Amino acid sequence: AEVPHAQNQAQRQPGTHTIPHGLDAFIIRLPNPTSGYNDQIRVQNEVAALSIARDALHAEFPGLVPRVFGWGSAKDGQGWILQEHMAGSPLLDDFGQMNNKNKGFMLGQMAAVLALLQQYQIPSTIQGYGGLGFGPSGEYVSAPLSILDAGPFTTYEGLVKATIQSKLAKADTDPQVEGWRANGVRARLDKFIAEGLHVAMGNMGTFPKVLVHADFNNFLYDTGTMRLTALLDFDFSHIATFADEFFRSLCAGIGQLPSPRESGDFLMLRTAMLTGFPDQLPPSSGDVQWPSAKAWDDALRARGAKRPSTIKNIAALSDLFWLSGQILPFKLCNKVVVKNSSKEELAARKETGEGLLINFLSDYGY
């Protein structure tokens, strides 16, 4: 029989399980030390997140999260995780070709998983926001984030601030945006971060802590039964708020909340997610899959899960999350995109990006 995480901890590495007799298929995960992420915490962060998620889902989805059998921190050399091999096909590869009935069935299962993660009581030893790790006795503890070298944070505001600041630090060395120093934009950004961010978040109150997967599309499923078989890749998981999964995960055009600075179908989707979907759905486009978006919202409601229309302050928080992304816009900073773009195209994108940042700052009085 499998030994629960909380028992016999002294005999096992934190977050691990004894290899069952007869199991002969495994996965070894090796974090890339040149990825630019916080390599010193990535392994233990993922192992702790996997362990917490297994606890959260055990009653209804006992085998959905892979077991970890051993791990080594990058602090001691090359990081590694030995974990259970999970059967199934990648859901994202097939989802677009499914009929609406099967899409709704899959989304219903995903909503059940998300609801359980939202409802899970985070252990009291995790006292801050940010990454995860293990203490001297194997207990879960707060730690720096895996996605950036900062944390843990005593407040959610601290996490948001560090996220924006990390993007600015990378922007300083980016040859396209050059830290947004032209035309006084950087000085205004720095002033907003120093003063305006606290004002913007000051009246939001406290934020309940929740495990955020941060890649909540990464499911495997059985093509015969249409049942989910695995939730994978907790590499970017962290402790944040109910809102964060709707910013960082889920498919754009279905479950990811668009920013208030979008237009067209994306802005219509944002309105629907925040205030309710219309009885007569607009026709689907390349941007928004309306039947799936509504099915996802309906599934969350049926499970009693938090969703954008029920999450306090999500509308305002989404604008701040937009800022963190706009500082390093993909079409201006991604090396492959830059390589395949002309100087004129890059200059036009920079001008557009600068205008968007100026509009944001002006909206907040900076």
Side-chain angles (χ1 to χ4, degrees):
E2 183 178 303
V3 180
H5 170 78
Q7 298 177 6
N8 293 342
Q9 189 64 57
Q11 289 90 345
R12 291 184 289 109
Q13 207 176 5
T16 62
H17 297 260
T18 302
I19 299 177
H21 179 73
L23 190 68
D24 59 3
F26 307 93
I27 294 291
I28 296 179
R29 289 173 58 84
L30 302 173
N32 180 0
T34 64
S35 65
Y37 295 112
N38 189 357
D39 196 49
Q40 297 299 298
I41 193 65
R42 285 179 71 181
V43 167
Q44 47 270 53
N45 179 77
E46 180 158 15
V47 172
L50 283 162
S51 184
I52 289 173
R54 281 185 62 83
D55 288 345
L57 303 180
H58 180 75
E60 192 168 341
F61 296 94
L64 195 68
V65 178
R67 291 169 289 186
V68 173
F69 303 122
W71 57 272
S73 172
K75 293 179 180 179
D76 304 317
Q78 170 64 57
W80 59 274
I81 300 174
L82 178 67
Q83 68 182 53
E84 181 179 10
H85 176 268
M86 307 297 281
S89 299
L91 177 59
L92 273 184
D93 288 357
D94 299 340
F95 186 83
Q97 287 71 50
M98 292 180 181
N99 59 42
N100 286 339
K101 180 180 178 180
N102 285 341
K103 285 180 179 179
F105 185 66
M106 302 310 300
L107 291 169
Q109 295 175 75
M110 292 174 62
V113 173
L114 185 58
L116 290 170
L117 292 176
Q118 290 178 347
Q119 294 158 8
Y120 180 73
Q121 184 68 43
I122 297 298
S124 60
T125 52
I126 300 173
Q127 298 184 351
Y129 300 89
L132 294 161
F134 297 101
S137 301
E139 73 278 15
Y140 302 116
V141 296
S142 297
L145 290 158
S146 64
I147 49 180
L148 58 99
D149 189 8
F153 310 95
T154 57
T155 66
Y156 181 60
E157 180 184 328
L159 189 157
V160 174
K161 185 174 184 178
T163 301
I164 297 172
Q165 288 176 323
S166 73
K167 297 293 182 70
L168 277 174
K170 291 181 179 179
D172 282 336
T173 60
D174 185 273
Q176 303 303 322
V177 301
E178 299 177 314
W180 298 106
R181 297 188 182 280
N183 302 316
V185 175
R186 177 55 177 271
R188 294 169 66 180
L189 280 168
D190 288 340
K191 189 173 183 181
F192 171 77
I193 295 168
E195 302 172 2
L197 181 63
H198 180 68
V199 174
M201 298 188 68
N203 295 323
M204 292 186 183
T206 59
F207 295 89
K209 298 182 182 70
V210 64
L211 177 66
V212 177
H213 183 279
D215 192 13
F216 197 76
N217 314 311
N218 212 327
F219 286 91
L220 302 181
Y221 80 108
D222 185 312
T223 58
T225 64
M226 301 299 291
R227 294 284 179 180
L228 295 177
T229 59
L231 175 58
L232 305 175
D233 197 359
F234 286 74
D235 194 15
F236 299 154
S237 296
H238 57 284
I239 300 297
T241 74
F242 294 121
D244 285 68
E245 204 76 80
F246 295 93
F247 301 153
R248 300 180 181 274
S249 291
L250 311 167
C251 295
I254 296 178
Q256 196 173 96
L257 180 68
S259 86
R261 296 172 192 277
E262 293 284 0
S263 59
D265 281 358
F266 277 131
L267 188 58
M268 291 171 61
L269 176 61
R270 174 183 170 85
T271 300
M273 293 176 74
L274 292 175
T275 64
F277 282 76
D279 294 332
Q280 184 66 39
L281 295 176
S284 293
S285 65
D287 293 330
V288 177
Q289 300 302 306
W290 284 100
S292 295
K294 185 178 186 303
W296 172 242
D297 192 74
D298 288 344
L300 290 172
R301 182 177 66 251
R303 283 295 306 213
K306 296 284 187 180
R307 62 193 202 280
S309 61
T310 64
I311 297 174
K312 185 180 179 183
N313 298 311
I314 193 172
L317 289 173
S318 67
D319 207 20
L320 300 177
F321 188 80
W322 173 89
L323 174 63
S324 70
Q326 185 57 37
I327 289 171
L328 286 173
F330 180 81
K331 291 185 178 181
L332 191 55
C333 299
N334 179 269
K335 291 181 180 180
V336 175
V337 175
V338 169
K339 184 179 179 180
N340 294 321
S341 302
S342 67
K343 290 182 179 179
E344 292 76 17
E345 288 173 328
L346 293 172
R349 290 172 196 160
K350 183 175 182 179
E351 183 179 357
T352 298
E354 183 179 278
L356 290 169
L357 289 173
I358 289 173
N359 289 340
F360 172 93
L361 292 163
S362 296
D363 288 345
Y364 287 85
Y366 288 86

